Amino acid sequence: MINLQLLSVYTMFVLVGCRYEEDELNHLLTLDAKAIRTIQYSHPDMSCGLTLNNLTSLTPQEAYSVASWNPNDPPLAISHEWGNWLYQHPEIIRKTLFNLGVGIPQTCHFSLELNGITELSETSANALSTFKGDEIQLNGLAELSSEVAKALVPKGRSMSFQLDGLQTLSIESAKALGGVSSGDLSLASVDSLDTESYIALGNHREFFRLGVREMTVEEAVIVASWNFTNYIHFPHLEKVSYDHAQAFVNNFRGGYTFDVIDVMDVPTATVLYNWVLETADLLRHDRMLPNSVSIHLSEDSPLRQSKMCYGRHTPVGLYCE
């Protein structure tokens, strides 16, 4: 059997200073060789998110290195039995083997946080598209060209994107983002979209966060037609009319969240309340997902006295905050 004590001493001399601790990565302004090694040989106790929010740009080679990070697939995988055996030995031995790439495959949903990136080239975006994880956060980008959007989206795989720094979104970029097979999409700062972009984004699935401030009834109809979407969050939508509510509940199954205080009146809320009750009744028979609506109310809002808000005396209703 290999003398682990001797191996530890030898490799510690080789590897001194060759790794960053996990919390140090988020303070890096550039990716040096030490950072690349830390990413390539991730610690098995590392969290399921690689956080590099102080980087403002990525070269294509750096993007490939970051995208290669995969805590579920260590370079030298060992079984859980061997892992338990390893954890019985001193920390210096474990750390040495971890530095060599030895690790237990994890089963986490892992993500990249690159929220300091302000510019992204098409080549770097294409490199990031090879990421095998579940989410990429690029909230520092203020714009996303159609070329970069097309390069960023992985082909035939699920991927979630947080792009909360974008102020605008072109139709072609919307089509590219809508081409993801599944995942979440957050566009919290895009304050307006045209009708064609709404249609294009409908191909994206699961959870949406849309920062639009205004929406036509026609666009609300399109949103409600997103059959594969489960939840839609409107942090800035300023007004939900009765006609909007009628459109939102037509054919849609899932949840809506509206953050603007007093975004709707009592008749409008009643439409959404009846929609919630309707699916609660269906749920008893078909076991389908219930509809839900979350709204924010002022202290003196008439809705607080309407008995439509979920609570002790209203077991099914609107979530009022």
Side-chain angles (χ1 to χ4, degrees):
M1 180 179 290
I2 297 174
N3 188 317
L4 292 178
Q5 293 284 2
L6 290 178
L7 177 63
S8 173
V9 172
Y10 172 75
T11 53
M12 283 300 288
F13 279 111
V14 175
L15 298 172
V16 164
C18 289
R19 283 184 61 89
Y20 286 107
E21 296 298 327
E22 183 178 355
D23 58 353
E24 293 179 301
L25 291 172
N26 197 36
H27 298 286
L28 298 179
L29 300 176
T30 58
L31 290 179
D32 54 19
K34 182 177 175 180
I36 298 300
R37 179 176 180 79
T38 305
I39 292 168
Q40 291 176 336
Y41 297 93
S42 60
H43 195 293
D45 291 334
M46 194 172 178
S47 67
C48 291
L50 179 59
T51 306
L52 298 164
N53 287 327
N54 263 353
L55 299 180
T56 58
S57 63
L58 281 175
T59 67
Q61 187 56 50
E62 290 171 340
Y64 275 115
S65 296
V66 170
S68 70
W69 178 70
N70 187 345
N72 293 345
D73 186 22
L76 299 172
I78 59 175
S79 67
H80 285 277
E81 290 75 15
W82 275 100
N84 293 333
W85 173 83
L86 185 58
Y87 272 95
Q88 297 173 13
H89 290 76
E91 182 180 359
I92 189 172
I93 296 176
R94 298 199 305 272
K95 186 173 182 179
T96 298
L97 292 174
F98 294 158
N99 286 342
L100 290 171
V102 174
I104 305 169
Q106 300 189 56
T107 56
C108 59
H109 296 283
F110 55 105
S111 61
L112 295 178
E113 292 186 25
L114 302 166
N115 294 317
I117 301 295
T118 56
E119 294 183 1
L120 190 66
S121 70
E122 183 179 347
T123 310
S124 293
N126 188 62
L128 288 179
S129 74
T130 64
F131 179 55
K132 302 300 184 185
D134 301 279
E135 181 183 59
I136 300 177
Q137 298 182 19
L138 289 163
N139 292 320
L141 292 178
E143 59 183 31
L144 186 71
S145 70
S146 59
E147 293 79 14
V148 171
K150 292 174 184 176
L152 183 62
V153 170
K155 306 300 185 290
R157 286 193 297 108
S158 170
M159 183 61 67
S160 295
F161 291 104
Q162 280 194 29
L163 300 165
D164 289 339
L166 296 184
Q167 303 294 315
T168 60
L169 190 70
S170 69
I171 294 173
E172 291 304 314
S173 294
K175 288 179 179 178
L177 292 175
V180 180
S181 61
S182 64
D184 301 340
L185 179 60
S186 185
L187 300 168
S189 297
V190 174
D191 58 11
S192 65
L193 287 172
D194 53 47
T195 302
E196 193 171 348
S197 292
Y198 277 106
I199 295 172
L201 287 172
N203 295 326
H204 207 99
R205 302 176 183 176
E206 297 178 25
F207 171 85
F208 269 92
R209 181 179 289 110
L210 297 176
V212 294
R213 298 184 180 277
E214 297 179 353
M215 177 181 289
T216 67
V217 174
E218 178 189 6
E219 290 163 350
V221 171
I222 295 171
V223 168
S225 71
W226 291 346
N227 294 328
F228 293 101
T229 301
N230 295 328
Y231 296 99
I232 305 174
H233 177 201
F234 293 106
H236 306 303
L237 190 61
E238 296 173 351
K239 179 68 175 177
V240 177
S241 69
Y242 184 88
D243 289 340
H244 281 115
Q246 293 278 17
F248 280 141
V249 303
N250 185 31
N251 297 323
F252 186 75
R253 290 292 178 264
Y256 292 108
T257 296
F258 303 96
D259 285 356
V260 172
I261 295 175
D262 297 336
V263 71
M264 65 186 69
D265 57 22
V266 173
T268 301
T270 303
V271 174
L272 294 170
Y273 173 70
N274 289 333
W275 177 67
V276 170
L277 292 183
E278 169 193 322
T279 323
D281 184 59
L282 289 173
L283 180 65
R284 301 187 186 99
H285 301 93
D286 299 338
R287 296 184 179 179
M288 62 189 297
L289 289 173
N291 292 335
S292 66
V293 177
S294 297
I295 55 177
H296 288 70
L297 304 177
S298 60
E299 289 298 324
D300 57 352
S301 170
L303 271 170
R304 291 194 180 275
Q305 285 76 46
S306 68
K307 297 183 179 180
M308 288 189 287
C309 292
Y310 171 82
R312 184 174 61 180
H313 301 295
T314 309
V316 179
L318 308 178
Y319 291 96
C320 304
E321 300 181 36

